[in-house]
Amino acid sequence: MPDLSFSYPAASVGTRVRQLRLALGLTQSDLAAQTGLASGSISMIENGHHEADRGVLQSLAEVLDCDPSFLVSATAGSTDYDRPKLRAYADASQRSVDRTLFDTITAVEMIRTTGLRSLPVKLPVYDGDLNDDDGIDRIAADVRAAAGIDPDAVIPNVIRSAERLGCVVLPLDRELGRHWGMSLTADGIPVIRVARSSHDPDHDIPGDRQRFTVAHELGHLVLHSGSAQPATPSEAARMEREANRFAASFLVPGDVALEDLEKNGGRVTLSTLATLKQKWGYSVKAFVFRFRELGVIDDAQARSLYKQLSARRWNKEEPHRPGTESAVWLSKALREGFAGPDGIKTAAAASGLGERYIGRWLDWSPSGSPSPPAQIIEMPPRQPSAVRSDRVARISRLPQRP
C-alpha cells in the first residue's frame, strides 16, 4: 500500500473520487455529508484544486468502499472508454446513467488490475453501409458464426454467446428509463449491461425481452464501434433502428423464419407466432414486426395483429414466457484467479475495492425483495356461551371516579 504520509497529485485523486462517487450514485453533497467534509470540499477535490491529506483520504475511502491506495493510484483516469450509443436514456436520470457508466469502468479496471483471464474479443466490426439492410443481415450472420452458432440454429443462451464473442456481461438492477440495457467499450473490452429479473412486476424483464436487449446491444457494438454519440433525436432513432435490425437478424435469421412460418401453415396469426416464440425465445410482438420487415405482411395486417395483441392483453404479458439468463465468465475467472473460500475477498483486496463491488457484478438473482407470504392467523375456537359469560363476570371493575 502506498505511504499516505506523502502527498499525491490532486488531479488523480479527484478523478478517482469522482469515479467511485458516480459509480455509487452519490451526489457531491451526499459524499460531503457522509465524510463530514465541508460541502464545497468535494468539488474542490474532484477538480484537483485541493490536496487530500491522510485523514481525508481515509474518510473518503470508507464512504466510497475502497482502500485509500485505490484513490492515489497512478493509473487514475487512464481507462479509455466510449460513451453509450444513446443521446439520452428515455425517462432515466443522468445520475442513474452515470452510475451505470462509471460502475462499468470500475469493473473493467478491476478485471485489468487483478489480471483475470481475459476473453479473446471475436466481435466483428461492421464497415459497410448502415443504410443497407442486407448488409446488416450479413454482419449478423457473421457474428453468429463467430459465436459458433449454426446458421439455422436457435441461440440457446444469448448472454453466453455474447461472452464467447469476448463481451463482459454485467447485471443491471433495473432498467434505465425505458431501456433494459447499455453497452460501451472500455479499455478495449466490449461490455454489455442488461437488466436482471425482479420480484417487482413493474420492473421485471421477460426472458425474450432480455435476449433481444443483449442482441440489440451487440448490434451497437458491431455497427457503431468508434461512432460518436448521436447529436439529434433523429440520428439516435436511426441508430436504434439499425441495432434492432441487427438483433432481429442475429436471433431469427430471415430465411429460417420464413421456413418455420411455412412449416406452421404459412399464415401469420397470433397462435402461429406464439408457437414460433416457444422455439426461438423471440416475442410475439417482435415477430409481427419481423414478418412486416420481411414483407410477409403489410402495414394493415401488422396493425390488426397489434390490436389483437392489445385485446388479449399480451402487451403486458405474453404466453410462453422464457426464463431470464445470466453470465458466467466473471465468476469462473475469479475462481480461477483467486481460488478458495475467500476468493472474492482476496480479489477485492488486490483491486483496492470493497467486496460489495464485485458482489454486485456477480449478482444475477432477482432484484427487489419478494413479497412476504401472507400469514395465516389461527382463530381460537368459539367457546360455549356459559364460558363466555363466566369470563365476562371475572373482568375486574374499574374504580368509580370520586
Side-chain angles (χ1 to χ4, degrees), residues 257 261 273 276 287-297:
L261 178 64
L273 299 185
L276 295 180
F287 261 123
V288 174
F289 187 86
R290 185 77 173 121
F291 284 123
R292 173 66 190 93
E293 194 175 52
L294 293 170
V296 178
I297 59 176

Side-chain angles (χ1 to χ4, degrees), residues 212 244 248 268-271 273 282-294 297-318:
F212 189 89
N244 282 341
V268 180
T269 65
L270 292 190
S271 60
L273 299 185
Y282 193 74
S283 78
V284 172
K285 189 172 184 178
F287 261 123
V288 174
F289 187 86
R290 185 77 173 121
F291 284 123
R292 173 66 190 93
E293 194 175 52
L294 293 170
I297 59 176
D298 58 22
D299 288 339
Q301 290 170 297
R303 284 194 298 270
S304 174
L305 288 165
Y306 288 140
K307 288 179 181 178
Q308 294 175 50
L309 276 166
S310 181
R312 296 190 188 190
R313 300 185 178 179
W314 285 9
N315 282 329
K316 183 68 175 178
E317 184 70 34
E318 290 187 3

Side-chain angles (χ1 to χ4, degrees), residues 246-279:
F246 174 92
S249 296
F250 179 74
L251 293 171
V252 190
D255 291 345
V256 184
L258 295 174
E259 290 175 8
D260 268 9
L261 178 64
E262 190 63 30
K263 290 176 184 177
N264 285 274
R267 295 181 62 246
V268 180
T269 65
L270 292 190
S271 60
T272 300
L273 299 185
T275 299
L276 295 180
K277 176 183 177 177
Q278 283 185 286
K279 175 180 177 179

Side-chain angles (χ1 to χ4, degrees), residues 11 63 83-84 107 113 145 188 190 194 206 217 246 249 265 277 279 325 328 354 369 381:
V63 176
R83 303 292 298 190
T113 302
V194 62
E217 297 304 332
F246 174 92
S249 296
K277 176 183 177 177
K279 175 180 177 179
E325 302 173 354
V328 298
S369 300

Side-chain angles (χ1 to χ4, degrees), residues 51-236:
E51 289 188 359
D53 59 23
R54 182 187 183 95
V56 171
L57 284 173
Q58 292 283 6
S59 297
L60 289 168
E62 288 178 10
V63 176
L64 296 174
D65 191 21
C66 67
D67 191 274
S69 62
F70 185 87
L71 299 179
V72 300
S73 169
T75 60
S78 62
T79 301
D80 185 29
Y81 64 92
D82 60 1
R83 303 292 298 190
K85 298 302 184 289
L86 273 183
R87 182 168 176 265
Y89 278 78
D91 301 331
S93 67
Q94 187 63 45
R95 182 174 176 178
S96 63
V97 174
D98 282 343
R99 179 176 182 177
T100 303
L101 172 61
F102 286 96
D103 182 67
T104 302
I105 293 168
T106 304
V108 170
E109 289 192 0
M110 182 278 294
I111 291 168
R112 292 299 197 201
T113 302
T114 56
L116 295 183
R117 173 183 59 84
S118 60
L119 289 165
V121 178
K122 303 176 183 177
L123 197 63
V125 174
Y126 184 62
D127 59 0
D129 182 1
L130 289 170
N131 294 314
D132 180 8
D133 287 342
D134 291 338
I136 293 177
D137 292 343
R138 286 192 295 272
I139 192 65
D142 291 343
V143 175
R144 285 173 66 93
I149 304 164
D150 291 338
D152 58 350
V154 175
I155 301 177
N157 190 302
V158 180
I159 288 180
R160 309 284 171 83
S161 297
E163 289 185 312
R164 285 195 293 273
L165 290 163
C167 298
V168 173
V169 186
L170 301 174
L172 281 175
D173 284 340
R174 59 176 57 187
E175 68 274 22
L176 293 167
R178 292 195 298 269
H179 294 271
W180 294 93
M182 173 189 281
S183 57
L184 66 148
T185 300
D187 205 13
I189 298 176
V191 186
I192 294 174
R193 304 298 300 259
V194 62
R196 54 193 171 117
S197 60
S198 174
H199 289 296
D200 183 349
D202 291 332
H203 297 285
D204 196 21
I205 179 171
D208 51 274
R209 179 67 183 271
Q210 188 195 52
R211 288 166 59 86
F212 189 89
T213 298
V214 174
H216 175 95
E217 297 304 332
L218 273 176
H220 279 308
L221 293 170
V222 169
L223 302 176
H224 306 131
S225 175
S227 300
Q229 279 188 301
T232 63
S234 61
E235 188 178 350

